[in-house]
Amino acid sequence: MIRVENLVGGEFVTPDEFFDDISPLDNSVIAKIPRTKNVDDAVNAAKAALPIWSGLTIEERCVWLDKIANALELQIEEVARLESLDTGKPYSVALDVDANRSVNNFRFFAEFGRSLKSETFEMADATNYVIRKPIGVVGLISPWNLPLYLLSWKIAPALLMGNTVIAKPSEITPLTAHFLGRICTDIGLPDGVLNIVNGYGPEVGQAIVEHPEIKAISFTGGTATGKIVAATAAPMFKKLSLELGGKNSSIVLQDADLDIAVPGVLRASFLNSGQICLCGSRVLVHSSIYDEFMAKYLHELQDFEIGPVISEEHRSKVMSYIELAKQEGGEVLAGGCIPDKAGAWIDATVISGLSHTSRTATEEIFGPVVTVHSFETEQEAIEMANCTQYGLAGSVWSKSRGRQVAEKIESGMVWVNTWLHRDLRVPFGGVKDSGVGREGGLWSIGFFSEAVNICVMED
Ligand code: NDP
């Protein structure tokens, strides 16, 4: 039994109360999680560490990020094992996607930090130069679907820019954040630079967002929670980054190469059991290739390995959408059932025959459930893709028209003939109800710093 502890000021501490961490693989209790309600100690520790950490040069902080990356990499199998245990995802996915990417996040921001150039703007009689100051103590809140991957995506740039951090992983998946805390103390990261607190979102998460000494909040999670976070933080004029839900379309045009499109769309549908905000849970296929595409898609689905969803509670939500789909007139082409074994398992599910404006086809399910729809024209496909409240991502599969269609999709990211192909320098984030702001490269640097212009008059 793992006992998760909070990391505060370089010490591992726990409040009096704990709750259970349950594995979705078989419903066994795998860890005890501290129920934290107050973040004052963590904030005080982060404030105390601020002068030392922000006083380092950016090059010195890059060295620390590299040290974290190297130490994590040495234990990458353990990171993957813990992530797989906590989320139920196959070990191979935990290793390839979660663990590797977590290492890469630290390494990427170390390299990126070294490449940053000072910005100057010359006038006829003066020179402007921009310096980037830390914001101070920042709060980082992340969800359960890609636990360390998403938390490290925030921790690395926050530390790079000289801030000290209060991080809160999801109550459902705290193990790898705890492991990262151990690694950071082992390598001697100065006390209080990274503080990790655990507990329930409406308690400890809310306490972070409300705390007046925490000057910025970077939040990834559901749109409903994002509204609460925004409503709490906005009157305090905190900097706010919101990465929220999605209901993304994979658009397969008439001239798509099906040898690429079928496995690509399948991966976008079901990787991580469909529990990635970028997953393509609406598949739009041109009517002329619909039958051929679906035959291949359903055939290849039989060999696609997925894990359980995150919890029995979440499975109930996903199953309620499958029931809704039937009421809305949908036909279940694959899956739709709960396999006969312990844990939060659910078969990969494909549903046809629904209107693209139905609730099943427009609300975020965040599980292994995909709706398929056919279209006649590119314009129709674009309208179908844009009809949801969300605007996070999407993909277009075509030999010749990918870019033209991609540019008309109302979302922050669109892939053409690929999916989840990530360059960490590019903007990552959504429009509409999928969020506010962007992460990645310069966008993360901008968020986690205050740009100050100094205008010097020439003699
Ligand atoms: P939630 O919104 O439920 O939770 C996200 C985080 O917020 C968790 O750490 C949670 O804690 C915490 N939290 C809950 N209530 C509050 C509160 N009042 N104040 C502060 N923090 C709070 O999302 P899920 O964990 O269920 O994750 C799934 C959602 O995340 C999906 O909608 C998905 O689309 C979205 N997501 C978006 C991504 C993006 O980049 N746009 C990427 C990945 C996921 P606790 O878990 O303890 O309740």
Side-chain angles (χ1 to χ4, degrees), residues 141-145 150 168-172 199-202 205-206 209 219-223 225 228-229 243-246 277 364 366 392 428 434:
I141 301 175
S142 59
W144 46 258
N145 61 329
L150 291 175
K168 188 202 104 55
S170 167
E171 74 196 41
I172 305 172
Y200 295 125
Q206 186 72 18
V209 181
F219 172 87
T220 299
T223 296
T225 318
I228 299 171
V229 169
E243 297 289 343
L244 308 177
C277 52
E364 187 184 47
F366 215 57
L392 189 59
F428 180 101
S434 289

Side-chain angles (χ1 to χ4, degrees), residues 267-284:
R267 186 168 159 267
S269 304
F270 295 113
L271 188 68
N272 211 38
S273 301
Q275 301 168 122
I276 300 180
C277 52
L278 308 168
C279 274
S281 51
R282 325 168 82 223
V283 178
L284 316 181

Side-chain angles (χ1 to χ4, degrees), residues 146-269:
L146 299 163
L148 191 59
Y149 172 149
L150 291 175
L151 198 54
S152 57
W153 179 233
K154 299 180 187 300
I155 292 173
L159 294 184
L160 173 68
M161 299 316 289
N163 307 286
T164 54
V165 164
I166 316 282
K168 188 202 104 55
S170 167
E171 74 196 41
I172 305 172
T173 54
L175 296 187
T176 46
H178 181 59
F179 190 72
L180 174 70
R182 291 262 170 223
I183 281 184
C184 288
T185 54
D186 286 351
I187 62 171
L189 186 72
D191 295 346
V193 168
L194 173 63
N195 303 277
I196 301 173
V197 290
N198 293 276
Y200 295 125
E203 294 180 350
V204 69
Q206 186 72 18
I208 291 173
V209 181
E210 283 175 3
H211 203 291
E213 302 283 354
I214 299 180
K215 301 297 181 192
I217 300 290
S218 178
F219 172 87
T220 299
T223 296
T225 318
K227 280 185 191 165
I228 299 171
V229 169
T232 309
M236 302 167 86
F237 304 112
K238 295 190 181 201
K239 271 188 116 173
L240 194 55
S241 165
L242 298 171
E243 297 289 343
L244 308 177
K247 185 78 178 180
N248 315 296
S249 295
S250 305
I251 303 175
V252 187
L253 297 181
Q254 192 168 11
D255 69 344
D257 179 342
L258 294 193
D259 290 340
I260 298 171
V262 171
V265 172
L266 197 58
R267 186 168 159 267
S269 304

Side-chain angles (χ1 to χ4, degrees), residues 392-408:
L392 189 59
S395 64
V396 185
W397 304 81
S398 165
K399 286 182 192 151
S400 65
R401 298 280 305 159
R403 284 192 195 196
Q404 288 85 342
V405 173
E407 287 177 17
K408 299 217 167 65

